[in-house]
Amino acid sequence: MFNRMISGVASAILLTLSPMTHAASQLPTPQEADWVAKEFRFNSGEKLNDLRIHYITLGDKNKQAVLLLHGTNQPLSAFLAPGFAAELFGPGQALDISKYFIIIPEGIGSGKSTKPSDGLKMAFPHYDYDDMVTAQYRLIKEGLGISHLRLVMGYSMGGMQTWLWGEKYPTMMDKLVPMASQPNELSGRNWMLRRMLIESIKGDPAWAEGNYQQQPPALKTANIMFSIATTGGTLAYQHKAPTHALADKLVDERLAAPVTADANDFIYIWNSSANYNAMPNLSRITAPMLIINSADDERNPVETGILQGELHQIKHAELFVIPASAETSGHGTMMQAKFYHQKLQNFMAKD
């Protein structure tokens, strides 16, 4: 069935902490580990030996497993920040870690998982979201020995991968929660800006076909431009920067921040979404699905009506839309779980 639900509003601030900082003292320290695929074949036909997938876990492995999938270039620490973890992982909460075993992997090309900047640079195999999902599946099955998941839940890129999980492995999980995502191919402003992010870096002479000695300047400016254009919320930005001087202050703060990313890694991970399209196989999804989006999501504008027109293909799907306000943050709204924690808790409680 398809129901459109509207939530109340609450503050939404995306917080990122040092990589292994946890949200509250009552939460156990996350456990870090790596799993290595001795051989991995990509959809491009390329192969790579010893593909490393880094991941963290919370809770007891003997409990029901929950897979959380991060967004593009999002650190795993975002899921451990107070706005997310303190709202979801505590006693009696939707993803109570005394009840669930939480698994948070880093996708191919991100963080401590194998990526172009490890040495191959632009000779690294070309990967896509389907490859990432395959690697996640192998981690769960081969690396952790888990045969079934209570939930697959993801944000942004991870949300799109959640749609793919439901199609590729429909009996693997009980429930699906894609956030800040849609099943259609990347198009419109969403893809146009991704393409420009890639082209801006490649067009910088300092990039040198990927053989740069230091990060090309375009990496910083293009990334800041993309972030302002696609994350933050129109009303929220106007509230934070109602004057020219305050808007300049926000830009200056971002320009002053150090570059911590790698240009080749950026090109690969943004391009990995190019062939994404979960729309043709929606009917394969059998697990109940709670889709959480925000009305001010710059990358997935609700006014396109794409979800409303296609969800009839899914047996049990519910769309939960957070209304836009000065308190939301556009595409980044989902990382403040107080917007939807009760809805998620109700969804998890259903058989």
Side-chain angles (χ1 to χ4, degrees), residues 207-256:
W207 180 60
E209 302 295 323
N211 297 308
Y212 42 86
Q213 299 303 308
Q214 59 184 17
Q215 297 299 330
L219 173 61
K220 173 185 277 192
T221 54
N223 188 42
I224 293 172
M225 182 74 75
F226 181 84
S227 177
I228 292 172
T230 69
T231 305
T234 300
L235 296 177
Y237 271 134
Q238 191 59 38
H239 178 73
K240 295 174 184 176
T243 67
H244 179 90
L246 286 174
D248 265 343
K249 182 174 182 293
L250 291 181
V251 173
D252 289 340
E253 288 172 352
R254 296 194 182 198
L255 287 172

